[in-house]
Amino acid sequence: MKTVCSLLLVLFTYVPMEKNIPVAKLNLKKYAVTWYSLYSIPTIFDKGSRETTTRYTLNKDGYYKVLTTYKKPGDDKIYSRTSKMFPSEDGDKGELQGQFIWPIKVDYWIIELADDYSYVVVGHPDHKFLFIMSRHQTMPKKTHDEIVARCKAKGYEVSKLTSQQHEKD
């Protein structure tokens, strides 16, 4: 039995897992657009929300003013909230911090970003949340499936992903 357990331990130790790290390069101006949140492992702030969009506006002080709009379950009224997003000290990495309630900041990592900035995947160092966002209300199924597979390989519980129920472009 000890041998079997030892073999399993060695096997699981060497199972390749992608690193959950922020992207090395982020163009702050190109990121300053409206993003459609298509799928998410929600936080307590977004649980149950749908049709969520987030507008990032880079201001002269070097951080983003963020306007998030969404609908609640069973309600077609559009709600909104504001927050701030602070880039890393280097300024061009995907390691940001969100401030949803002053003075608390939360790690907000861009873990994947399309070369053409058509989609972004936002995560957390401890896998607490995950957002798959796009510049459009939809995403090709193949792209979605590939992103989900990579997120799973990084340790995210992708079975918890929920759709934001955007209508088609």
Side-chain angles (χ1 to χ4, degrees), residues 20-142:
N20 181 41
I21 58 173
V23 296
K25 197 82 171 144
L26 174 66
N27 181 318
L28 296 176
K29 289 181 182 177
K30 282 177 79 170
Y31 192 75
V33 297
T34 297
W35 293 97
Y36 293 91
S37 180
L38 302 180
Y39 299 91
S40 65
I41 297 175
T43 68
I44 59 170
F45 296 110
D46 347 82
K47 201 163 244 173
S49 64
R50 61 186 172 87
E51 298 179 50
T52 303
T53 62
T54 307
R55 173 75 185 165
Y56 292 81
T57 304
L58 188 61
N59 67 24
K60 61 181 173 56
D61 296 324
Y63 67 87
Y64 294 106
K65 292 191 308 185
V66 182
L67 175 64
T68 302
T69 62
Y70 58 98
K71 293 180 181 177
K72 294 180 180 181
D75 186 352
D76 276 340
K77 179 180 174 189
I78 297 175
Y79 295 86
S80 67
R81 65 176 173 266
T82 59
S83 57
K84 295 177 181 177
M85 198 66 56
F86 298 91
S88 66
E89 288 184 21
D90 296 338
D92 64 349
K93 291 185 181 176
E95 190 173 342
L96 293 90
Q97 288 195 315
Q99 187 175 65
F100 305 98
I101 300 171
W102 186 86
I104 302 167
K105 291 183 181 173
V106 176
D107 288 322
Y108 182 97
W109 283 6
I110 297 172
I111 60 172
E112 189 171 325
L113 181 62
D115 291 337
D116 64 356
Y117 284 61
S118 60
Y119 74 82
V120 64
V121 181
V122 175
H124 185 271
D126 297 327
H127 305 91
K128 292 180 180 178
F129 56 79
L130 183 70
F131 298 95
I132 299 172
M133 301 188 298
S134 173
R135 305 257 315 254
H136 303 282
Q137 294 175 328
T138 59
M139 171 182 284
K141 182 176 178 1
K142 181 181 180 208

